[in-house]
Amino acid sequence: MNNFLSLDDVSDPMAFAREAIELKKNPLADMHLGRGKMLGMVFFNSSLRTRMSVQKAAFNLGIQTMVLNVGGDLWTLETQDGAVMNGKAAEHIKEAVPVMANYCDILAVRCFPGLENRDIDSEEKILTAFATKSGKPVVNMESATLHPLQSLADLITILEHQPKPRPKVVLSWAPHIKPLPHCVSNSFSQWMNKADVEFVITHPKGLELGTKYTKGAVIEHDQRKAFEGADFIYAKNWSSYNDYGKFMDAPEWIIDAEKMAWTNQARFMHCLPVRRNVEVADDVLDGPHSIVVKQAANREFATQRVLKELLKELKH
Amino acid sequence: MNNFLSLDDVSDPMAFAREAIELKKNPLADMHLGRGKMLGMVFFNSSLRTRMSVQKAAFNLGIQTMVLNVGGDLWTLETQDGAVMNGKAAEHIKEAVPVMANYCDILAVRCFPGLENRDIDSEEKILTAFATKSGKPVVNMESATLHPLQSLADLITILEHQPKPRPKVVLSWAPHIKPLPHCVSNSFSQWMNKADVEFVITHPKGLELGTKYTKGAVIEHDQRKAFEGADFIYAKNWSSYNDYGKFMDAPEWIIDAEKMAWTNQARFMHCLPVRRNVEVADDVLDGPHSIVVKQAANREFATQRVLKELLKELKH
Amino acid sequence: MNNFLSLDDVSDPMAFAREAIELKKNPLADMHLGRGKMLGMVFFNSSLRTRMSVQKAAFNLGIQTMVLNVGGDLWTLETQDGAVMNGKAAEHIKEAVPVMANYCDILAVRCFPGLENRDIDSEEKILTAFATKSGKPVVNMESATLHPLQSLADLITILEHQPKPRPKVVLSWAPHIKPLPHCVSNSFSQWMNKADVEFVITHPKGLELGTKYTKGAVIEHDQRKAFEGADFIYAKNWSSYNDYGKFMDAPEWIIDAEKMAWTNQARFMHCLPVRRNVEVADDVLDGPHSIVVKQAANREFATQRVLKELLKELKH
């Protein structure tokens, strides 16, 4: 594994998730591995879970971290080839990336989509610039279209809580107050399609995700039918993919205890942050089947598994 | 000691302060104690002394730190139970606190009051959420009503500079340009009331502090009478407590060399930052009896004493 | 060496640069030297290269770092003696500096000029306050008038790439879209004047730098003449020094492949960030003679050399 940009970088996702679970037995066992190594964490967007869990995972492996807030602390970066830089952007990513790479052994990047132009977001200009111009292993800490660290943590969580060998996992669209990216849903779909689960996606008509991510999944527009027999309900909002970035509302899709009763006592999952009583009712989040905090905790071990793998590739 | 939220968490404040002084002899002697431990520092408000002294104290103990600026880098947190989160707050403290706790062994929190509603500030919703929902030891880095790390540093400073066994310590209100919280004054009053000192508070009429903090202290509205025979003058502004949060001005209460001459060559103390020539005249701050920088230095050892105690409680 | 504020703190710049190059052979060889030491990095202005390279250099030496963003996270600092602090500044540098120094073994500071008043900028109030009031070694991470860490990295880069013993180095003014400080050019001039190079400065008439920095250099207003036979072209914009801080435009001074062809196959240098196709054309930056990324990489070793020297002075 040279990078961790998407599912494609992992040869056996199920085995990878199981190895992450193994790390929990003794999280500090590999503290010597990262000695003398520096991880640069570059945030074009803010973050709580990612920021903390990646730092913690690096710490567990003895890797030092440097955090850079590009959006806040720094200037805007130009990404266009051939640009005449007489505007806001004071530095081109062509310089910024190799310069940052100078000081780091591994780079991790968070760069959200603009949600205005699907083609532009799909190009993943920033993530790609890091992967192609840094000469160092790059970790996706949530990009314009994907969030594989989240999906790996999700898979770990499912493996730890599954009531049966091939559980039914339902990704349900949930209402929000503003248009959100597709990254979490795209990645989750990709990973579930490779996992030993029965995977169903449910959402209002018109909110189809990109088929290049969901291909293989069952799409069910009737939320009730989707929920029946489910062992896991994974709630997530996303904006329109076809009418790209458009906000669509459907408040009746909120997930509450009544709907959870349709399931097979399903565990409730969400990548967080969650808007209570908009996406999900308090009775679900505060109920005994919510595993959202454990799911967030698994971000640490997902990242640790990834970093451990990348450390192997580094010359010592 | 499971938390350090207030004076109540310390069984013997005088002994605790003396032990902090002992740490100065060899600050790095306990560097092995914190190996593999992570302290999460969560700032809802900005900070200089606290940010640096807590990081330094953690470092002395071999504890790793992660700093999170909630106010700046992150979204607003919802604290209301049952809220329909369709507004600015993108995450509820019910999730945020246990999630952060996942990645940390100890949490330290700074959360100022709104100064608009005394009842709301007194509830200490954020600090309490950390203490009750994290499952981890929590350190108060200045909350809506208290600042015990400051008070412990203050007590250390008094013990180091007292000219006699039971010195006279005077907390004097001082002018400012805007309404300030009561935390430092509340905490200082609580700690001084437990210390081997003669404790007097002086302020203009109408600026009474809450009796639940000051109970036991002598209140003297004549600044001159209060200063007579004082061994320590501790200057601090606060807004009205009764007319909660209201700004009150009384520029004649500025502390200058002339007033310091009323004292028993008192040492001058202030928690900093101080507005020169508004709260205190240059001749006092630049004079030989000012110990404000030493007082700030003691923040490191106050925190180190607290963290050392909390480390003992952690399972290794 | 007690501080690293300017060239004056280095007795033999050439030897110092060569020692920095030696560090590259085994960057972590001195990791024990900084054990238990804390470097406080204080940013009054934002930064990418400096922030990362200083942290990395400290890490290589086993020094712990604390980063403080004064401009962003904190309040404004008052620098005027005798000020009545009833305005925006909440803390005086007289307290802030010794307080920060309490918690650190070495302090590093970045403080840009206002570019409004040459006399005020020349006083270097903030840097001087750190150097005189901290009681600790202070490193200039770019001040109002100088940027010696950059110049040391520049010298290292020149030594590594010089095609002959005494290369011709040309500092060329380049266009920009807004008025920039003189720090990089001032420092570079000082260092080149002490180095074994033939040093020429070229700029449009009216953009003379201060002679106290350039004294000894050849000034050539014809860019073509200056470029002829050059082994290194160092591009940098600066605003007017005589009409202090005034923006001056001369787009024809852009550096492109055609102009680089006038040189002796010169290596192209720039301190970054660079505005592509405003200061320098893509064909230069993307061409085989651009060494800007290597130049930035050398910031790490320049800083490491400085910190290593300062560590020697610390009492262990």
Side-chain angles (χ1 to χ4, degrees), chain A residues 66 124 152 190 310 316:
Chain A
M66 281 197 282
E124 292 278 13
L152 174 54
Q190 288 184 328
L310 295 176
H316 286 275

Side-chain angles (χ1 to χ4, degrees), chain C residues 3-283:
Chain C
N3 292 302
F4 183 75
L5 306 178
S6 78
L7 177 71
D8 297 340
D9 293 307
V10 181
S11 54
D12 184 343
M14 291 291 282
F16 204 62
R18 284 195 203 98
E19 289 154 12
I21 294 171
E22 282 303 299
L23 294 173
K24 294 187 177 191
K25 289 182 185 159
N26 190 356
L28 305 182
D30 299 317
M31 238 181 167
H32 58 286
L33 282 187
R35 194 182 170 278
K37 300 302 174 195
M38 178 64 82
L39 168 67
M41 298 170 61
V42 185
F43 289 95
F44 288 80
N45 305 91
S46 66
S47 152
L48 184 156
R49 267 153 290 276
T50 299
R51 189 181 290 262
M52 293 185 88
S53 60
V54 175
Q55 281 187 76
K56 183 65 184 319
F59 171 65
N60 291 349
L61 292 163
I63 304 170
Q64 184 79 3
T65 52
M66 280 198 283
V67 177
L68 207 64
N69 298 311
V70 180
D73 300 0
L74 282 184
W75 38 78
T76 319
L77 293 182
E78 177 64 57
T79 57
Q80 199 63 45
D81 256 2
V84 177
M85 290 173 56
N86 55 9
K88 214 176 118 193
E91 181 146 33
H92 202 288
I93 202 152
K94 277 188 184 177
E95 274 78 49
V97 167
V99 164
M100 293 182 207
N102 280 328
Y103 313 125
C104 301
D105 299 290
I106 305 176
L107 285 163
V109 191
R110 167 166 278 213
C111 47
F112 289 175
L115 279 188
E116 291 182 3
N117 182 314
R118 195 166 81 183
D119 292 338
I120 287 178
D121 287 349
S122 296
E123 284 181 52
E124 292 278 12
K125 279 196 178 173
I126 291 178
L127 186 68
T128 305
F130 275 84
T132 58
K133 294 182 200 307
S134 72
K136 300 287 168 74
V138 172
V139 176
N140 182 344
M141 295 196 297
E142 188 170 348
S143 70
T145 64
L146 294 170
H147 194 359
L149 279 181
Q150 177 67 52
S151 308
L152 175 54
D154 297 339
L155 178 53
I156 293 169
T157 311
I158 287 169
L159 290 177
E160 289 180 325
H161 292 88
Q162 60 185 16
K164 61 184 185 220
R166 193 176 154 78
K168 180 176 178 184
V169 176
V170 178
L171 169 62
S172 176
W173 185 89
H176 206 274
I177 64 157
K178 59 178 183 185
L180 292 195
H182 310 87
C183 332
V184 169
S185 312
N186 289 346
S187 261
F188 187 69
S189 299
Q190 289 185 328
W191 285 71
M192 285 304 108
N193 282 328
K194 287 272 191 184
D196 295 337
V197 303
E198 178 195 346
F199 182 47
V200 176
I201 306 175
T202 183
H203 55 73
K205 283 186 183 167
L207 276 164
E208 286 69 27
L209 290 164
T211 50
K212 70 173 172 178
Y213 306 109
T214 61
K215 198 168 42 194
V218 172
I219 313 292
E220 170 54 67
H221 290 115
D222 181 330
Q223 200 180 20
R224 179 165 194 154
K225 277 191 192 160
F227 275 41
E228 280 167 7
D231 299 299
F232 294 92
I233 299 295
Y234 193 109
K236 183 76 191 81
N237 173 271
W238 56 86
S239 56
S240 175
Y241 183 74
N242 291 320
D243 191 358
Y244 191 69
K246 194 184 165 193
F247 175 69
M248 290 182 68
D249 203 6
E252 69 280 11
W253 276 70
I254 187 174
I255 295 169
D256 55 19
E258 199 184 318
K259 291 183 183 176
M260 290 299 286
W262 301 334
T263 70
N264 181 32
Q265 295 194 296
R267 307 296 177 124
F268 179 78
M269 298 178 70
H270 190 289
C271 65
L272 305 183
V274 61
R275 286 181 172 261
R276 284 175 167 254
N277 303 313
V278 175
E279 297 175 73
V280 188
D282 280 345
D283 54 15

Side-chain angles (χ1 to χ4, degrees), chain A residues 183-200:
Chain A
C183 334
V184 169
S185 311
N186 287 348
S187 260
F188 187 69
S189 299
Q190 288 184 328
W191 286 71
M192 285 304 109
N193 281 328
K194 286 274 190 181
D196 296 337
V197 302
E198 178 194 346
F199 183 47
V200 176

Side-chain angles (χ1 to χ4, degrees), chain A residues 35-37 64 66 68 73-75 82-83 85-92 94-95 99-100 102-104, chain C residues 28 31 46-49 51-53 55-56 59 177 272-273 275-278 282 286 293 296-297 300:
Chain A
R35 192 181 171 277
K37 300 302 175 195
Q64 183 79 4
M66 281 197 282
L68 206 65
D73 300 1
L74 283 185
W75 37 77
M85 290 173 58
N86 55 9
K88 216 175 116 194
E91 180 147 31
H92 201 288
K94 278 188 185 177
E95 275 77 49
V99 164
M100 294 183 206
N102 279 330
Y103 313 126
C104 301
Chain C
L28 305 182
M31 238 181 167
S46 66
S47 152
L48 184 156
R49 267 153 290 276
R51 189 181 290 262
M52 293 185 88
S53 60
Q55 281 187 76
K56 183 65 184 319
F59 171 65
I177 64 157
L272 305 183
R275 286 181 172 261
R276 284 175 167 254
N277 303 313
V278 175
D282 280 345
D286 297 332
V293 171
E300 174 180 341

